Amino acid sequence: MRRLWIFLVAGLLALPVQAQDRVPGSLAEVQLSFAPIVREAGPAVVNIYARRVVRSQSPFADDPFFSQLFQVEPRERVQNSLGSGVIVSSDGIVVSNNHVVGNADEIRVVLSDRREYSGRVLLSDPETDLAIIQLDDAQDLPALEFANSDRAEVGDLVLAIGNPFGIGQTVSSGIVSGLARSGGEMDRGRGYFIQTDAPINPGNSGGALVDMQGRLLGINTSILTRSGGSNGIGFAIPANLVAQYVAQAQAGATELEQPWAGVVVQTVDATLAEALGIDPPQGIIINDMHPDSPFRHAGLQVGDVIIAMGGLPVDTAQELNFRMKTLGVGAITDVTIVRRGRERVRALELVAAPEAPAPPVPPPPADPDPSAGTITGTDTPFDRLEVAPITDRLRARLGLPRDLSGVLVTDAPGRRGQFREGDIFLSLNGSATPDVPSLMRAIRDGGNSWRVEYLRNGRRSVLFLRSF
């Protein structure tokens, strides 16, 4: 317990002078040590009431017989949502979650001092679950300064401020429990989050995650729960990403313009790291690149391992996407890669995605190549795989590019070598495998180890296999 008091006092001493009245002089004052931060940050956290009119259609509306017998006029019902938001600019720019205000017909924002404003959405993004709102006729409002979320560390003290269950502004405390959280079982899991154990409950969505300097570290967005209550596993959208959305909204954008990577990547696990000579395992390996990818123009190649961008680690595809989003289109940054065991640094200019070309017209079906069968007698992880060459008929049926050559796995008994039905072998140990005979030669020439490049669900991946 003595360590906790020392820790809290040390945190207070780190506060800027304007954010604290004085250093606590007694144990009772230490117990109220977050009060100066709440006084500073609380007024910028608002309650949001969103209203949406939903029109429902009768199930008999399109039926020529029953539509004459039943009432088919559309009915309207009102959906209401309650959440929180954070003022980030004194002229009334408010950040909240898309799931709080998305598609709302009416938005009402109430400040902690009971002032009320109507609002309109300037920019929203369902994937990131962010929405930027402009309050009408607002000026000289209290606003939170953005923290540099890239400097957050696991163990940092934080406060969650919001309006849980509509009971009024509430503050909960905790720490940063994890960084770079993405995917998994998280609600709205296609993002990149700060994890905290500060209790977050329904109504806290869109509220502020505040650091010990009273700055906005993140926007609370979701919790991981089985029961619907807070289990101390909450997630917040990092402030650096929020700041990019706000900047684009203030510049007049109605949709987020985000950089385009044009690469297919795969996380480097322990097996890949051992084969590539990377210790400890880190980064993402490039498995495929678009001809116009900015990474290609920066001098990167298929097989390079990206380990950092702008001096910050990159270990997943989501992390790469996050780093690029926070920098924005037009930014120039350093990319650190590993190529043939050596670290190299390249300058990368971030660009928007090019205009998508019209899809190619599929070729007419042709007779399949009969050279298909089962791999046997090799005493390798490929044994018992049933394979067939990629033919024009298969390209047309599977929607594959005309120039794609490879061997299709038609059956994988017992998941041999972790391959699946539908996988397409592209190369083994760098040698292309356009047909079954070339695949068999590459298997035999590999001895007891193979670097397998293959296509699964449209994504290129690399797998290293050994035979013992």
Side-chain angles (χ1 to χ4, degrees):
M1 185 63 73
R2 182 171 176 270
R3 287 185 178 181
L4 177 60
W5 301 133
I6 294 174
F7 186 49
L8 291 173
V9 172
L12 267 177
L13 292 175
L15 290 173
V17 173
Q18 65 270 24
Q20 63 182 36
D21 294 335
R22 59 185 175 84
V23 175
S26 67
L27 186 61
E29 290 181 350
V30 170
Q31 290 175 314
L32 300 175
S33 61
F34 293 133
I37 303 169
V38 176
R39 283 197 297 270
E40 187 77 17
V45 181
V46 300
N47 299 335
I48 296 180
Y49 302 88
R51 181 177 180 271
R52 178 188 176 198
V53 177
V54 180
R55 294 170 64 89
S56 58
Q57 190 80 12
S58 167
F60 303 107
D62 298 324
D63 188 285
F65 175 74
F66 287 104
S67 61
Q68 302 178 42
L69 302 178
F70 296 93
Q71 172 67 34
V72 295
E73 290 296 323
R75 297 180 179 179
E76 293 186 350
R77 59 188 178 88
V78 176
Q79 284 184 344
N80 294 294
S81 63
L82 172 68
S84 304
V86 183
I87 303 173
V88 295
S89 177
S90 61
D91 60 355
I93 296 291
V94 174
V95 180
S96 187
N97 287 144
N98 178 77
H99 75 267
V100 173
V101 298
N103 301 317
D105 297 306
E106 180 183 340
I107 299 173
R108 185 164 57 93
V109 177
V110 181
L111 275 62
S112 60
D113 60 8
R114 300 183 184 179
R115 283 184 290 172
E116 295 189 15
Y117 295 89
S118 60
R120 53 190 170 87
V121 175
L122 298 179
L123 184 153
S124 64
D125 182 15
E127 181 174 321
T128 309
D129 197 23
L130 275 177
I132 313 300
I133 304 166
Q134 174 67 65
L135 303 187
D136 297 331
D137 302 320
Q139 57 183 354
D140 298 327
L141 299 183
L144 283 189
E145 173 190 351
F146 286 109
N148 183 351
S149 55
D150 287 332
R151 294 184 179 177
E153 296 185 39
V154 174
D156 285 350
L157 288 169
V158 289
L159 302 179
I161 308 178
N163 180 25
F165 302 108
I167 62 175
Q169 189 174 99
T170 302
V171 180
S172 56
S173 66
I175 63 170
V176 172
S177 305
L179 299 169
R181 299 302 196 205
S182 59
E185 296 183 349
M186 289 178 291
D187 190 18
R188 293 173 291 279
R190 291 190 60 192
Y192 180 92
F193 303 102
I194 297 170
Q195 181 184 332
T196 178
D197 68 346
I200 297 173
N201 288 289
N204 269 112
S205 292
L209 189 69
V210 177
D211 68 9
M212 290 297 100
Q213 280 70 50
R215 301 172 302 188
L216 181 64
L217 186 64
I219 295 295
N220 299 323
T221 184
S222 62
I223 60 175
L224 186 61
T225 178
R226 297 281 189 268
S227 63
S230 176
N231 294 328
I233 304 178
F235 302 98
I237 304 165
N240 287 7
L241 182 58
V242 177
Q244 180 63 227
Y245 277 73
V246 171
Q248 291 200 29
Q250 290 176 319
T254 57
E255 293 183 359
L256 180 74
E257 183 183 38
Q258 53 185 310
W260 173 68
V263 295
V264 176
V265 298
Q266 175 183 350
T267 297
V268 175
D269 57 17
T271 303
L272 266 175
E274 181 182 0
L276 297 169
I278 298 176
D279 186 27
Q282 59 179 316
I284 51 177
I285 186 171
I286 299 176
N287 289 335
D288 195 15
M289 302 178 74
H290 189 279
D292 295 326
S293 168
F295 288 89
R296 184 185 294 277
H297 294 314
L300 275 68
Q301 305 171 1
V302 171
D304 287 346
V305 176
I306 302 171
I307 61 173
M309 178 175 286
L312 298 168
V314 175
D315 286 309
T316 63
Q318 292 92 338
E319 196 160 17
L320 176 67
N321 184 48
F322 171 77
R323 300 290 180 215
M324 295 177 66
K325 275 186 175 181
T326 58
L327 292 167
V329 173
I332 298 177
T333 186
D334 288 338
V335 178
T336 306
I337 64 171
V338 175
R339 178 184 298 170
R340 291 189 287 275
R342 292 182 54 191
E343 282 194 18
R344 307 163 190 256
V345 178
R346 296 287 185 267
L348 172 71
E349 181 178 2
L350 301 181
V351 300
E355 293 293 332
V361 178
D367 291 334
D369 189 324
S371 58
T374 304
I375 299 175
T376 58
T378 63
D379 194 24
T380 69
F382 301 92
D383 263 7
R384 294 166 50 205
L385 289 178
E386 294 186 14
V387 295
I390 298 296
T391 62
D392 287 341
R393 183 183 295 275
L394 281 175
R395 290 189 188 95
R397 182 163 63 86
L398 301 177
L400 300 173
R402 298 186 64 173
D403 59 350
L404 178 69
S405 296
V407 176
L408 176 72
V409 177
T410 58
D411 192 18
R415 295 285 179 89
R416 294 291 294 172
Q418 300 303 309
F419 296 114
R420 303 175 186 172
E421 180 181 344
D423 287 348
I424 299 173
F425 291 122
L426 303 175
S427 70
L428 265 66
N429 293 338
S431 298
T433 55
D435 49 42
V436 175
S438 63
L439 174 66
M440 296 295 294
R441 283 195 300 271
I443 292 173
R444 293 191 177 97
D445 292 345
N448 65 351
S449 63
W450 302 267
R451 180 186 186 273
V452 186
E453 183 184 5
Y454 64 101
L455 196 70
R456 176 178 292 169
N457 298 327
R459 295 179 63 88
R460 289 178 183 257
S461 297
V462 175
L463 180 66
F464 285 85
L465 292 176
R466 286 185 177 179
S467 181
F468 296 96

